[in-house]
Amino acid sequence: MSSCSRTRTKAPRSARIRVSSSPAKIVADLDDVLLHILSFLPIKTLIKCKRVSKRWRSLITNPNFSNRIISSKHPLPISGLYLKGTRDIEYRFVSLLNDDDEEVNEQLLALSSSPLRFIDHPSPIIVMQSTNGLLLCKCTCPPNHFNRNFYVYNPTTKQKTLLPLIIDHVVLSLAFDPSKSPHYKVFSLRKSSISSVSPVSSVSSVFYHIEVYSSNEGPWRRLVSVPSSALPQTVTDLSNTVFWNGAVHWFWFGPNSRDCLSFDIDTEEIKTLSLPFLDHHQDDEEDPPDVGTLRFIEESRGNLYFIEVNDLSSPDLSVYEMNRTGLTWFLKYHVDLEPLAAAFPEMIRTEYYTYRKIYSFSVIGFVKGETDAESSYIVLHIPNKAVKYYFISKTFKKLCSFEPSQEDGGENFYGFRRSFQFIESLANV
């Protein structure tokens, strides 16, 4: 036998099979690759990917992955609006996506009025606030409909958390900033006590304090007392609440007050934030202002915006923005309603008791552009329709139409109703 036949040829080192890695290590390496690929997908696609397998679902719903996705994509774009109907439990959904195809919008985005419900709860949901993809909600507890349960709800993942019982609260507010923490907090403005000013006087004073529930720390705990000067003697409605710039803001409106209570969640500092005083044309006695007809306050991509309409016969609509210091409002945009009314003549109506021409609309959304001011727009609710108006180009487009509901008495679905942002999010609640 020749020496050549007795010589064994070794396989190249690169071709040898390594068996040193354990099966768990191999699976972990594959998971890392998969998670890296998944991290580039939109949140809507990730939600669908959870249906691929139990393994995929486990990876996508893992808090470490979801928190990484949320923080990397923050601020998340606004996908749509929940528009409150004539009843608290009735909502219409207005999508802000895929608006280039009007036919698709007409068929898919203009939804009929319907209650929002949890899958495992018999009562409809009432939305109180929307913050960065999470909703603060309440619903009744059968059989006693006077009892209320409060929830933090993620409408994208359908997850919810029942908040601990709380009574004698004036208002609740949700704070959630996924760029800073995966945890959320709910703040409660509560009545502390009622005591007489003097033994011989029947006048009473109401005192307030703030409590907090934290998703990572648990039950309600008292934080600070609210100075008596920070709130009017009689608080009627503080349901307009906004989380902005690291603080919760409770707005109230009255004939002699245009302020809001601001509470910084990090420093626990309480201060009063004033709203811009607008020109109400009080010298024009022939055409008095419709004081407080329409007010809109919203946060979008880290900025706070305020709109107030006191004269429905005026085609001018001014948008104010608050600077990041929280001290000064300035005029940001101006909207001329005339071109919009020319395209949608149903906006023009005659006031029955003055016979003057008025514009029928309400502001239901404000969207700051992802890249520049060119893509920033306002969403208006006009009779039977929702339209978007771009500030810079001064162009507009119909988003969807609304069909009258039985609650509307067959009339046009229209009114000054609140709306809540829908933001797709994987945030855990």
Side-chain angles (χ1 to χ4, degrees):
M1 183 178 293
S2 65
S3 59
C4 292
S5 62
R6 293 193 300 268
T7 304
R8 294 182 179 181
T9 304
K10 293 183 178 181
R13 183 179 297 272
S14 59
R16 296 176 190 175
I17 300 177
R18 295 180 179 271
V19 295
S20 58
S21 296
S22 66
K25 178 65 166 57
I26 296 174
V27 171
D29 290 341
L30 293 176
D31 285 348
D32 288 341
V33 174
L34 177 58
L35 289 173
H36 180 71
I37 297 173
L38 292 174
S39 66
F40 291 97
L41 299 179
I43 290 180
K44 179 180 290 186
T45 305
L46 288 173
I47 297 298
K48 295 179 180 179
C49 287
K50 292 196 302 182
R51 305 171 187 169
V52 172
S53 67
K54 292 182 178 180
R55 184 63 185 167
W56 280 43
R57 181 182 181 85
S58 175
L59 292 173
I60 295 173
T61 56
N62 185 287
N64 292 329
F65 175 73
S66 58
N67 294 337
R68 186 179 77 186
I69 292 298
I70 294 169
S71 59
S72 65
K73 296 180 183 297
H74 185 78
L76 298 171
I78 303 172
S79 302
L81 300 170
Y82 291 109
L83 178 61
K84 182 172 287 189
T86 53
R87 298 186 301 163
D88 282 345
I89 62 172
E90 176 193 318
Y91 296 88
R92 313 233 181 164
F93 185 74
V94 180
S95 176
L96 303 179
L97 302 178
N98 302 322
D99 63 324
D100 291 333
D101 191 337
E102 186 170 326
E103 182 178 354
V104 171
N105 277 331
E106 291 293 336
Q107 296 177 358
L108 301 178
L109 309 181
L111 305 182
S112 60
S113 61
S114 60
L116 295 173
R117 294 180 183 273
F118 298 136
I119 297 176
D120 56 350
H121 198 286
S123 300
I125 306 169
I126 297 176
V127 182
M128 303 166 62
Q129 183 190 353
S130 173
T131 302
N132 290 319
L134 301 183
L135 300 180
L136 180 62
C137 309
K138 66 179 178 180
C139 55
T140 59
C141 311
N144 186 350
H145 293 280
F146 291 99
N147 292 335
R148 296 287 189 271
N149 277 341
F150 297 91
Y151 296 86
V152 175
Y153 175 54
N154 186 332
T156 304
T157 63
K158 309 302 181 184
Q159 295 177 332
K160 69 180 186 297
T161 290
L162 174 64
L163 299 181
L165 178 66
I166 187 167
I167 58 176
D168 292 332
H169 70 278
V170 177
V171 66
L172 301 179
S173 187
L174 173 65
F176 176 54
D177 186 350
S179 67
K180 294 183 178 180
S181 171
H183 307 291
Y184 62 84
K185 295 181 178 181
V186 180
F187 294 89
S188 170
L189 180 65
R190 295 190 63 186
K191 294 181 180 179
S192 298
S193 62
I194 301 178
S195 60
S196 299
V197 174
S198 67
V200 296
S201 174
S202 61
V203 179
S204 297
S205 297
V206 182
F207 300 93
Y208 300 91
H209 68 271
I210 294 175
E211 294 187 6
V212 63
Y213 165 84
S214 176
S215 61
N216 63 324
E217 296 179 358
W220 295 102
R221 58 186 176 88
R222 181 165 175 161
L223 292 179
V224 295
S225 298
V226 179
S228 57
S229 59
L231 284 171
Q233 184 63 35
T234 303
V235 178
T236 55
D237 184 12
L238 288 169
S239 59
N240 267 319
T241 177
V242 176
F243 174 63
W244 170 74
N245 202 22
V248 292
H249 300 81
W250 292 297
F251 294 88
W252 70 87
F253 303 104
N256 300 315
S257 179
R258 299 177 53 80
D259 301 314
C260 83
L261 181 69
S262 176
F263 178 70
D264 190 298
I265 65 174
D266 292 327
T267 64
E268 298 186 0
E269 178 186 3
I270 298 174
K271 63 180 180 179
T272 301
L273 175 68
S274 297
L275 298 175
F277 279 86
L278 311 181
D279 183 9
H280 292 167
H281 306 290
Q282 294 181 353
D283 295 333
D284 189 355
E285 297 182 357
E286 296 181 359
D287 208 11
D290 308 312
V291 177
T293 298
L294 183 155
R295 290 188 179 99
F296 175 84
I297 300 171
E298 188 61 273
E299 180 274 341
S300 181
R301 292 192 166 273
N303 293 81
L304 187 65
Y305 299 93
F306 175 74
I307 300 170
E308 181 174 2
V309 176
N310 292 290
D311 185 1
L312 290 175
S313 65
S314 172
D316 298 325
L317 184 64
S318 299
V319 180
Y320 291 84
E321 181 179 301
M322 170 64 75
N323 65 3
R324 297 293 293 184
T325 64
L327 299 176
T328 306
W329 293 94
F330 61 93
L331 181 63
K332 180 67 174 180
Y333 298 112
H334 175 77
V335 178
D336 182 6
L337 297 176
E338 281 289 358
L340 195 64
F344 303 102
E346 60 269 30
M347 283 184 63
I348 303 297
R349 297 190 176 185
T350 302
E351 196 171 45
Y352 70 93
Y353 55 90
T354 63
Y355 300 102
R356 62 174 178 163
K357 181 181 75 172
I358 60 174
Y359 294 88
S360 297
F361 76 98
S362 61
V363 181
I364 61 173
F366 186 103
V367 178
K368 181 183 178 183
E370 295 184 36
T371 55
D372 51 41
E374 292 285 343
S375 55
S376 297
Y377 61 89
I378 192 173
V379 183
L380 300 177
H381 181 204
I382 64 176
N384 280 344
K385 297 178 181 67
V387 298
K388 62 163 56 174
Y389 176 98
Y390 287 93
F391 295 110
I392 303 301
S393 65
K394 301 188 183 303
T395 57
F396 48 85
K397 184 178 180 65
K398 183 177 73 171
L399 287 173
C400 63
S401 299
F402 298 111
E403 292 296 330
S405 67
Q406 294 180 354
E407 287 78 12
D408 295 319
E411 298 178 356
N412 292 332
F413 179 78
Y414 166 73
F416 298 145
R417 297 166 183 151
R418 293 189 63 189
S419 63
F420 303 91
Q421 297 175 353
F422 170 65
I423 298 175
E424 294 174 326
S425 172
L426 293 176
N428 293 284
V429 298

